[in-house]
Amino acid sequence: MTTVIQVKGMSCQHCVNSIEGALKKSGVAAKVDLRGSRVTVHFEETAITLDRIKSLIEDQGFDVV
């Protein structure tokens, strides 16, 4: 499944690395768009839920809209 998540609080490459790294550890491919304040994620619904992905982003200190 592919979906786009709106995220507040991202401002730099460190933010990108934090989110993409945390999601990658959980088997989620992610592409962060700083200007658009969004994260596009590709994941297997049988392996992880969208709610869990959102929690992983929030655990990095960002707000999921």
Side-chain angles (χ1 to χ4, degrees):
M1 173 178 216
T2 300
T3 192
V4 177
I5 302 169
Q6 289 296 126
V7 179
K8 286 187 178 180
M10 302 182 300
S11 61
C12 64
Q13 189 60 41
H14 177 73
C15 299
V16 172
N17 295 342
S18 294
I19 292 172
E20 289 180 352
L23 294 178
K24 184 176 182 179
K25 287 179 185 177
S26 295
V28 178
K31 178 67 176 161
V32 175
D33 174 7
L34 283 176
R35 288 188 177 171
S37 299
R38 59 185 168 249
V39 179
T40 302
V41 293
H42 307 278
F43 64 100
E44 293 296 325
E45 293 176 272
T46 57
I48 192 168
T49 66
L50 184 55
D51 285 339
R52 178 67 182 136
I53 292 169
K54 290 177 180 179
S55 291
L56 289 169
I57 294 170
E58 290 173 339
D59 289 348
Q60 297 304 307
F62 304 99
D63 295 318
V64 173
V65 179

